[in-house]
Amino acid sequence: MTTTPVVHTSAPAGVLPGAPDGAADDSLSGLWPASARPGPEGDVAVGGVSLTEAADRFGTPLYVLDEGEVRRRCRTYRAAFPPAEADVVYAAKAFLCRAVVRWVREEGLGLDVCSAGELLLAVGAGFPAERIVLHGNAKSPEDLRTAVRLGVGRIVVDSTSEIARLAALVPLGSRQPIMVRVVPGISAGGHAAVRTGTDDQKFGLSLTDGSAQHAIDRVLGQPRLELVGLHCHIGSQITAVKPYVAAVRRMVGLLARVREQHGIALPQLDIGGGHGIAYRPGEPVLDVPALAARVRAELVDGCTRAGLPVPRLTVEPGRALIGPAGVAVYRVLAVKRTGTRTFVAVDGGMSDNPRPALYGVRYAPRLVGRDSTAPDRVVTVVGRHCEAGDVLADGVELPGDVRPGDLLAVPAAGAYHLSMASGYNLVGRPPVVSVGDGTARLLVRRESLDDMQRRDVGA
Ligand code: LLP
C-alpha cells in the first residue's frame, strides 16, 4: 500500500502543542520551538536567548538547541505511550551529543544506536546500557562486540548471517536479548531514500518471502540468544497514522504464527520511528497522540482476536523529538541578482545540512536581528559550497534589502543536519549551543581548521 497522508497542518491543536504562554508572533508558531519570541530590532529569542547575541558570541553558522523543547517533546511521547505499556526510545542518529544523552535519560526514554561510536558515546555519558537498542543492517564485529560487552538491552538482528556471529560473541552462561527486524511490506515515508517497509531495500528480513520466519527459527536454535520480540521500521518523515496501523496488523499476524509454530508468545513489539515534522509553514506533521491511540487499539484488537497476550510496545522517534528544537543561524555572505532570480548565499550549506541535496527538502529561513521596511522579494537561499545543488530554500520571501552581514535563522534544524554533516570544502562543522532559561551553553565546539589538518598525517 502507499501512504495517502491525512493532512494535519504544522500547528495542530493537541499535537505537540505550541507556546505554553502564547507566542506573540504567528510567524514563530508551528515550526519554531515553543519558547521562540520576537525581540527588539527584528531579533528572535529561543529559550530566552537572543539569536543575534548567540551568533555574535559563538560565531556562524551556529546550531541552537532548545533543551526545554526536547524535554517537552519527550514528555508528550511519555504521556501518549505511558511507561506501564510502552518504551519510547530516542533514535540517536537524528542527533547525539552528551547533553542530549543526559536529557533523554532524565526524561525516562531509551536510546536507539546504530554503531559502536554512538553506543560508546551514550554509555560514556552515563546512559544505562540495558535501556539501549542496537540497530544496523551491517553491524561490524566491533559494533557487536561492544554491544555484548556493555550489555545493551536489545540487539536487533537484520540479517541471517548475523545470528551465528552474534551468538559466538555471547559468553557461556549468559543470553543476549534480541529482536528480529521484519519487513512488513508497507510503503510509507517522505522520500524513496527513507522508505524501509518494503522488500526492495536493504533493511530487515522479508515477511513475504519467508526470510523473517527463517531467521526466527535460527535465533530460537541459539541457546545464547533470547528472542524477546519483533521489530519493524517502515520509513521516515511519515505524516499519516494509517501505515503504522497496517504494519501493526501484519506484525501481530507474525506473532500469532510464531506462537503456532514454536509455542511461544513473544513479549515485545517494536514498531520503529519515522514520525514526520513540518519544515515549512502548512506542511503536515504526524499526530502523535492519535498514532498512540490507534496503534494501541489495533494491537489490543489483533492480539485479542489471535488469543495472544498484548506485547509491550516500543517506538523509536528521532526527528520528532529533536528536529523542531533546533534552529540553524547563518550569516549572509553574498547577494546576487541574475536575470530571473535573487540568490542569497550564507556561510553554511550542504556540509552542515545535506538534506536539501539528498531529499530535495526545502526550508523556511527568516531574517533576524534587523527590522526592515523593504517589501518582500522572492529569493533563493543557497549555501557556500561548490555545487549548484547547494540550495537551502527556493522561492522564499525575504525583505528586499537583504544584504551581506544579515543573519538568517532556519527552524526545524535539529535532526539529521549535524549528524550527517561532512567535511566538504574543509569548511568545518558548526558548534551546537543549548539554550534555556535565558542561558546559552556550548555543547559541541566548532570544528577548526586545526582539527581538520591534524587528521591529515601524510605527505
Ligand atoms: N528506528 C530506526 C530503525 C531507524 O532506522 C530510524 C531512522 C529511526 C528509528 C528514526 O526515524 P525518525 O523518527 O527520526 O524519522 N536522514 C534522513 C532520515 C533517515 C532515517 C533513518 N532511520 C532525513 O534526514 O530525513
Side-chain angles (χ1 to χ4, degrees):
M1 66 174 268
T2 39
T3 320
T4 321
V6 178
V7 176
H8 301 276
T9 60
S10 50
V15 182
L16 294 169
D21 45 12
D25 183 340
D26 276 355
S27 67
L28 292 173
S29 64
L31 302 180
W32 287 74
S35 71
R37 295 287 181 282
E41 290 166 32
D43 201 1
V44 171
V46 177
V49 171
S50 145
L51 292 184
T52 310
E53 280 174 27
D56 286 343
R57 179 171 160 202
F58 300 101
T60 55
L62 171 68
Y63 276 74
V64 169
L65 204 50
D66 183 335
E67 174 178 349
E69 181 71 24
V70 176
R71 289 185 183 273
R72 194 172 67 85
R73 286 174 174 271
C74 290
R75 286 172 200 167
T76 301
Y77 268 93
R78 291 319 275 139
F81 296 95
E85 54 199 37
D87 292 317
V88 180
V89 167
Y90 169 61
K93 66 206 81 180
F95 176 69
L96 193 66
C97 69
R98 288 171 208 282
V100 169
V101 169
R102 180 168 61 80
W103 303 344
V104 166
R105 171 171 55 78
E106 288 172 356
E107 295 302 330
L109 273 60
L111 201 65
D112 141 8
V113 300
C114 58
S115 69
E118 289 179 353
L119 177 56
L120 286 167
L121 188 145
V123 171
F127 205 90
E130 65 275 10
R131 273 163 51 191
I132 297 181
V133 181
L134 176 72
H135 282 289
N137 71 301
K139 299 177 195 73
S140 71
E142 194 193 355
D143 295 336
L144 290 175
R145 255 198 320 269
T146 311
V148 170
R149 175 171 64 80
L150 295 177
V152 304
R154 289 172 275 175
I155 297 177
V156 180
V157 165
D158 197 302
S159 65
T160 324
S161 60
E162 192 184 339
I163 297 169
R165 271 207 302 143
L166 174 56
L169 293 170
V170 179
L172 186 63
S174 60
R175 295 185 86 201
Q176 172 64 50
I178 69 132
M179 304 185 100
V180 168
R181 178 160 175 173
V182 175
V183 182
I186 308 282
S187 174
H191 185 276
V194 298
R195 286 183 204 132
T196 51
T198 50
D199 287 345
D200 53 357
Q201 50 77 47
K202 69 176 183 170
F203 291 100
L205 292 145
S206 170
L207 189 59
T208 45
D209 75 3
S211 315
Q213 293 87 325
H214 175 65
I216 290 167
D217 292 348
R218 294 276 284 267
V219 169
L220 291 172
Q222 291 283 356
R224 296 186 197 187
L225 302 182
E226 180 192 3
L227 182 64
V228 295
L230 302 180
H231 175 279
C232 68
H233 171 77
I234 54 178
S236 200
Q237 188 56 6
I238 298 168
T239 52
V241 168
K242 236 169 124 179
Y244 289 101
V245 175
V248 168
R249 192 169 308 140
R250 296 205 180 163
M251 296 299 280
V252 170
L254 183 54
L255 287 171
R257 254 171 284 154
V258 171
R259 221 263 312 265
E260 276 163 34
Q261 280 164 19
H262 303 282
I264 47 171
L266 296 174
Q268 297 183 31
L269 176 63
D270 184 334
I271 57 167
H275 311 163
I277 65 167
Y279 288 93
R280 286 187 299 188
E283 284 181 356
V285 297
L286 185 73
D287 181 337
V288 173
L291 172 77
R294 291 188 45 201
V295 158
R296 182 96 210 135
E298 179 62 38
L299 189 58
V300 171
D301 279 5
C303 290
T304 309
R305 274 198 302 274
L308 285 170
V310 177
R312 186 172 176 79
L313 187 71
T314 299
V315 287
E316 302 174 336
R319 184 192 324 262
L321 287 172
I322 205 140
V327 178
V329 186
Y330 299 103
R331 204 170 284 281
V332 175
L333 293 179
V335 176
K336 184 185 288 177
R337 299 188 209 289
T338 65
T340 52
R341 296 169 88 176
T342 300
F343 290 99
V344 176
V346 298
D347 56 359
M350 67 193 297
S351 66
D352 65 85
N353 178 9
R355 301 194 69 257
L358 286 175
Y359 319 115
V361 179
R362 293 291 184 261
Y363 287 79
R366 170 190 175 113
L367 176 69
V368 294
R370 178 168 75 79
D371 276 326
S372 170
T373 51
D376 281 350
R377 171 195 295 270
V378 176
V379 304
T380 303
V381 178
V382 297
R384 59 166 294 177
H385 293 280
C386 300
E387 288 194 29
D390 182 20
V391 175
L392 269 169
D394 239 349
V396 289
E397 294 196 340
L398 284 180
D401 61 351
V402 62
R403 55 190 180 237
D406 279 342
L407 291 175
L408 295 186
V410 177
Y416 302 111
H417 287 209
L418 293 183
S419 63
M420 298 176 75
S422 74
Y424 194 29
N425 298 147
L426 293 190
V427 164
R429 288 170 289 181
V432 182
V433 165
S434 72
V435 292
D437 299 327
T439 307
R441 207 159 56 87
L442 185 64
L443 301 184
V444 181
R445 68 165 172 78
R446 185 180 302 283
E447 187 174 33
S448 66
L449 188 55
D450 195 40
D451 289 329
M452 293 183 270
Q453 285 184 349
R454 249 184 293 161
R455 296 183 61 229
D456 185 338
V457 294

